[in-house]
């Protein structure tokens, strides 16, 4: 097929996004569910980055310089 | 002052002060203290990697133009690469920021490193905002007409008119990325100049 492709529009999104956003509400705090999921994933990534040892440097007491 | 004929020459003075601030072994070190071997120290570099992809895909979008990025599969792909590297850029930057916050990385004369990070963050938000205005679709029209009221409420609307597509595009592809680029270079040079901040345990009671 030449010219303008419609393929990108025929693909389905991984998650059905064709509805109004759902909002979470705690008192004054209001955040969309999608944004809350992203913030949650970032917090998990942060905690993993602090907790998981860096490869090749398992011994935390080592005072050596790389 | 030395007795060389170049003693008052500004290029010589600049070179000498640059060499003092960043001797080659400080600028491009071969090793780092052992406490740097942690995943949290990778997030500054990840932010730079995402920025690199943003700039590279942005160049392609600028070369090919809106008709291409709206109507061809390759254009969609590059446009999506541009957007998703921005999402990763911000996520990496904020995780980097959390890391530096909890280790109070502004200690020991490093306040300019932190401050240059803060300014980069703010300018990055402005860059992303003008990017949404540069999409040339209904989404960008909607964002512009909503944002104009907010910007007008600050009194800045006359200078920074979000309904002026040409102005927003110029800010997005020249002024703001240039600002982010210069600040990132400055930020990383400051890290090299000061050296990585030692953990609390290393500074509290002397050597250990
Ligand atoms: C475009 C965004 C940014 C880039 C590309 C970037 C890049 C980097 C890199 C490569 C490092 C050294 C490696 C590391 O520790 O991760 C670093 C260190 C640092 N960054 Fe950033 N950064 C950015 C934004 C920020 C922000 C928003 C803040 C805080 C508000 C920040 C605060 C710091 C501090 C305080 C250090 C020095 C840590 C030390 O001396 O030990 N940065 N940055």
């Amino acid at each position: 097929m030449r010219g303008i492709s419609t393929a990108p529009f025929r693909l389905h999104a991984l998650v059905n996004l064709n509805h109004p956003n759902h909002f979470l509400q705690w008192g004054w705090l209001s955040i969309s569910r999608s944004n809350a999921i992203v913030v949650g994933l970032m917090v998990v990534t942060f905690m993993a980055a602090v907790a998981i040892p860096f490869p090749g440097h398992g011994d935390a007491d080592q005072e050596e310089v790389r | 002052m030395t007795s060389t004929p170049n003693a008052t020459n500004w290029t010589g003075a600049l070179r000498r002060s640059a060499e003092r601030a960043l001797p080659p072994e400080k600028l491009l070190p071969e090793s780092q203290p052992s406490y740097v071997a942690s995943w949290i120290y990778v997030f500054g570099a990840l932010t730079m990697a995402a920025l690199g992809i943003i700039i590279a895909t942005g160049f392609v979008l600028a070369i090919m133009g809106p008709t291409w990025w709206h109507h061809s599969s390759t254009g969609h792909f590059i446009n999506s690469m541009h957007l998703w590297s921005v999402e990763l850029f911000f996520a990496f930057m904020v995780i980097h920021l959390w890391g530096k916050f909890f280790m109070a990385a502004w200690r020991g004369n490093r306040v300019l490193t932190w401050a240059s990070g803060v300014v980069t963050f703010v300018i990055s938000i402005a860059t992303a905002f003008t990017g949404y205005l540069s999409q040339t679709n209904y989404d960008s029209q909607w964002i512009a007409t909503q944002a104009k009221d907010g910007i007008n409420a600050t009194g800045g609307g006359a200078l920074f008119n979000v309904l002026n597509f040409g102005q927003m595009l110029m800010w997005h592809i020249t002024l703001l990325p240039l600002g982010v680029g210069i600040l990132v270079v400055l930020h990383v040079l400051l890290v090299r100049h000061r050296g990585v901040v030692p953990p609390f345990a290393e500074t509290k009671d002397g050597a250990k």
Side-chain angles (χ1 to χ4, degrees):
Chain A
M1 197 171 84
R2 319 263 338 252
I4 295 168
S5 163
T6 56
F9 307 106
R10 280 187 270 113
L11 287 174
H12 293 286
L14 223 55
V15 180
N16 179 20
L17 299 168
N18 194 19
H19 58 77
N21 216 331
H22 184 268
F23 270 77
L24 307 173
Q25 210 107 32
W26 292 282
W28 53 269
L29 183 71
S30 161
I31 187 172
S32 74
R33 184 163 52 195
S34 28
N35 279 344
I37 290 171
V38 171
V39 172
L41 288 175
M42 284 167 64
V43 171
V44 168
T45 311
F46 174 77
M47 293 192 303
V50 173
I52 297 172
F54 198 75
H57 295 267
D59 189 357
D61 292 334
Q62 271 177 315
E63 279 299 313
E64 119 277 20
V65 166
R66 200 158 34 115
Chain B
M1 286 285 161
T2 61
S3 56
T4 59
N6 287 339
T8 54
N9 182 322
W10 71 266
T11 49
L14 183 65
R15 188 193 68 243
R16 278 187 293 277
S17 70
E19 277 172 354
R20 241 178 292 119
L22 280 167
E25 63 279 8
K26 239 183 169 182
L27 185 63
L28 295 166
E30 291 162 288
S31 63
Q32 290 289 345
S34 57
Y35 52 78
V36 177
S38 156
W39 283 111
I40 197 63
Y41 286 94
V42 176
F43 280 83
L46 282 175
T47 314
M48 285 201 291
L51 182 62
I53 301 204
I54 294 169
I55 292 168
T57 50
F59 267 81
V60 180
L61 294 175
I63 290 166
M64 302 302 288
T67 310
W68 177 77
W69 80 60
H70 281 308
H71 295 296
S72 78
S73 307
T74 323
H76 272 287
F77 180 72
I78 299 293
N79 194 347
S80 300
M81 291 262 292
H82 193 66
L83 172 72
W84 285 105
S85 349
V86 170
E87 307 282 346
L88 288 174
F89 171 77
F90 275 100
F92 291 152
M93 183 175 6
V94 170
I95 293 169
H96 172 68
L97 184 166
W98 289 342
K100 299 307 160 191
F101 177 79
F102 286 113
M103 49 181 121
W106 51 77
R107 285 172 295 139
N109 233 341
R110 291 175 179 81
V111 68
L112 264 185
T113 318
W114 175 265
S116 63
V118 173
V119 178
T120 315
F121 189 25
V122 173
I123 298 185
S124 301
I125 291 171
T127 316
F129 172 59
T130 52
Y132 286 118
L133 298 177
S134 303
Q135 294 175 99
T136 64
N137 59 14
Y138 288 124
D139 211 12
S140 52
Q141 282 187 9
W142 170 260
I143 295 167
T145 49
Q146 297 298 304
K148 77 177 194 309
D149 299 330
I151 305 246
N152 287 345
T154 70
L159 185 68
F160 190 81
N161 180 3
V162 294
L163 298 177
N164 183 344
F165 171 73
Q167 189 191 15
M168 292 306 111
L169 181 68
M170 294 296 194
W171 276 93
H172 181 68
I173 68 174
T174 63
L175 302 172
L176 292 169
L178 193 67
V180 172
I182 291 171
L183 279 162
V184 167
V185 170
L186 187 78
H187 185 74
V188 174
L189 289 182
L190 279 166
V191 176
R192 290 300 200 217
H193 173 60
R194 299 280 179 216
V196 181
V197 74
F200 286 113
E202 299 276 325
T203 48
K204 248 180 207 155
D205 32 51
K208 277 204 176 167

